[in-house]
Amino acid sequence: MQEVNKKIGQPPHKADRRFQIEAFFLSLELRFKIAQVAQTRLEDISRADEDGRAHRRLWHAFVQFIYESCIRDARKALDLAEKSSASRMAARANVHIIRATLEAFRFDVVSDRDELSRTIAKKGRSGGCTGYVHVTS
């Protein structure tokens, strides 16, 4: 590889960069699958006892970490692709950034909705809330 870089007038060797970028993409796909499994596990954990709530918080933090790491690594792949003038890989990296951002947002919305529905149900059982919202126009 050093001999290739020594040649004057030759563009730098870029194949190794493309393999690195492809490795980032494969890693991202794997982490998206792991996050999907973790979300399924999170849904199945009991909310009734304190241990269940503690485990839910841990799994929730784990899924958030996965999506944040996906966003960071997709940006690194984009940077590598732009530096190596690989426009198709840069486009794929942008798609991965958008996907990771969307999945993180979706996870947050679903988590917030779940928390809100549990709060409303808890208030409804205690008599503080009817579960209905009155909207006036």
Side-chain angles (χ1 to χ4, degrees), residues 14-64:
K14 296 177 185 173
D16 59 334
R17 294 282 184 206
R18 291 195 171 106
F19 290 125
Q20 288 175 355
I21 297 166
E22 193 64 39
F24 270 108
F25 293 158
L26 292 174
S27 169
L28 290 169
E29 289 297 329
L30 180 62
R31 280 184 274 167
F32 285 132
K33 295 291 183 191
I34 291 171
Q36 186 177 13
V37 170
Q39 285 179 25
T40 303
R41 174 69 182 128
L42 180 63
E43 292 169 3
D44 293 338
I45 296 175
S46 171
R47 297 179 183 100
D49 59 345
E50 187 59 37
D51 283 343
R53 287 190 293 272
H55 282 125
R56 287 184 65 77
R57 284 191 297 270
L58 290 172
W59 280 98
H60 187 272
F62 177 62
V63 173
Q64 282 182 325

Side-chain angles (χ1 to χ4, degrees), residues 64-79:
Q64 282 182 325
F65 168 76
I66 290 172
Y67 286 134
E68 289 168 5
S69 71
C70 286
I71 293 168
R72 281 192 309 269
D73 284 353
R75 287 186 178 140
K76 289 177 187 176
L78 175 62
D79 187 47

Side-chain angles (χ1 to χ4, degrees), residues 73-133:
D73 284 353
R75 287 186 178 140
K76 289 177 187 176
L78 175 62
D79 187 47
L80 282 173
E82 287 174 344
K83 286 180 181 176
S84 64
S85 301
S87 59
R88 287 185 181 156
M89 288 195 161
R92 284 179 59 196
N94 272 320
V95 168
H96 282 293
I97 291 169
I98 293 168
R99 179 181 176 190
T101 305
L102 175 67
E103 290 292 336
F105 176 74
R106 186 184 63 79
F107 176 69
D108 287 339
V109 167
V110 168
S111 297
D112 290 346
R113 184 190 66 189
D114 184 46
E115 185 67 30
L116 183 61
S117 68
R118 282 192 289 125
T119 303
I120 290 173
K122 193 183 294 184
K123 286 182 180 180
R125 284 191 304 265
S126 66
C129 179
T130 62
Y132 297 102
V133 177

